[in-house]
Amino acid sequence: MDLRIGWLYGHEMNIYGDRGNVLALLHRARGRGLEAAVEVLGVGDAFEPERYDVLFWGGGQDREQISVSADLMGAKGRDLKAAIGGGMPMLAICGGYQLLGDGYRPYEGDMLPGIHALDITSEAGPTRFIGNVVVDSPEFGALVGFENHSGLTFLGPEVEPLGRVRVGHGNNGRDGFEGARYRNTIGCYMHGALLPKNPQVTDWLIGTALERKGGAAALPPLPDDVESTAHDAVVKRALQLGR
Ligand code: GLN
């Protein structure tokens, strides 16, 4: 197996098209002749990080985050934190992103503890941010997605933002940034799904995973005119609508 994808909480946390990220990873790996497969891990499932080459964790409503947060209190959360610290390539979106940090404080109820893998903290704000997002990333260029969250995420000194918001709200609608970067992990609020419209990020995750296994990080080119058309259409619409 060239690329084994671990899809964390794929049944519990998979909203606003986030499964598209897993499909994009499979498509662009198989398009290069790589043998790729995905395994879904849920609440109560054992987690062996060394089994996987790349991890994905999608978004979910507050109620799903309660059971998932509890599932990660113990060895499972510690193992995921260690994998991220050890350079595991990972993408986490919205609710998953929030629980990578100190935790998420819903509008009502107690703080949902996270795994403290990323130096971020999140809390529900008074309004819900909904709309297209365009972000300028120094690492990946222009990124597009769709946000739907009430959570506000604040970055500490140990992480870098993914990029600067050009359209939308991003992490908190205040500091002008979206997402977080730490080692080989990307966290952000961009649903949509993110990867099908941003193939450069998909290829980076695949290349990083292959490089960690002793392979070549540089992938042979793959036609991405469909992805680029979708990307450009969202940028155009977001700039016209301002959201
Ligand atoms: N419940 C969290 C929030 O509203 C995450 C939502 C999501 O994953 N889209 O901020």
Side-chain angles (χ1 to χ4, degrees):
M1 183 60 63
D2 299 311
L3 189 78
R4 193 186 305 276
I5 304 163
W7 184 1
L8 301 182
Y9 305 107
H11 298 306
E12 295 89 350
M13 295 179 70
N14 171 29
I15 53 178
Y16 311 133
D18 283 346
R19 74 169 51 241
N21 293 297
V22 174
L23 299 180
L25 284 166
L26 288 170
H27 170 71
R28 293 188 71 81
R30 290 170 176 166
R32 273 96 174 198
L34 296 170
E35 190 182 359
V38 60
E39 292 181 3
V40 181
L41 298 109
V43 172
D45 289 343
F47 173 55
E48 301 165 13
E50 63 280 0
R51 246 185 94 74
Y52 305 103
D53 303 307
V54 59
L55 297 174
F56 172 69
W57 185 359
Q61 301 306 345
D62 296 20
R63 63 179 174 275
E64 282 89 9
Q65 289 177 288
I66 294 169
S67 60
V68 168
S69 170
D71 188 57
L72 285 167
M73 292 303 106
K76 194 168 179 179
R78 286 196 298 273
D79 291 347
L80 178 54
K81 176 181 179 178
I84 290 168
M88 168 71 76
M90 180 171 188
L91 174 64
I93 305 291
C94 204
Y97 169 38
Q98 293 169 341
L99 293 180
L100 288 183
D102 294 351
Y104 170 63
R105 183 177 303 282
Y107 211 64
E108 295 175 356
D110 301 329
M111 178 82 162
L112 304 178
I115 65 167
H116 301 273
L118 267 57
D119 183 14
I120 62 171
T121 190
S122 304
E123 61 187 33
T127 55
R128 196 156 192 88
F129 295 149
I130 301 176
N132 294 303
V133 180
V134 179
V135 170
D136 293 311
S137 159
E139 190 174 5
F140 297 107
L143 300 172
V144 297
F146 182 84
E147 64 183 337
N148 185 333
H149 59 103
S150 60
L152 308 175
T153 294
F154 301 93
L155 274 55
E158 302 301 316
V159 293
E160 295 293 327
L162 175 60
R164 184 172 291 279
V165 174
R166 194 186 332 167
V167 176
H169 299 86
N171 282 331
N172 50 53
R174 299 173 193 170
D175 62 17
F177 291 112
E178 158 60 357
R181 281 285 282 115
Y182 175 69
R183 308 236 163 129
N184 290 324
T185 290
I186 298 170
C188 68
Y189 277 107
M190 291 192 276
H191 296 283
L194 178 73
L195 295 185
K197 298 184 185 74
N198 301 281
Q200 69 275 34
V201 184
T202 315
D203 289 352
W204 177 82
L205 285 165
I206 297 169
T208 303
L210 296 179
E211 188 175 32
R212 290 183 80 232
K213 295 172 76 170
L219 301 175
L222 192 68
D224 53 19
D225 46 343
V226 173
E227 292 93 330
S228 300
T229 301
H231 175 105
D232 296 347
V234 174
V235 172
K236 182 179 177 186
R237 184 164 69 236
L239 292 175
Q240 283 171 344
L241 296 175
R243 58 183 290 276

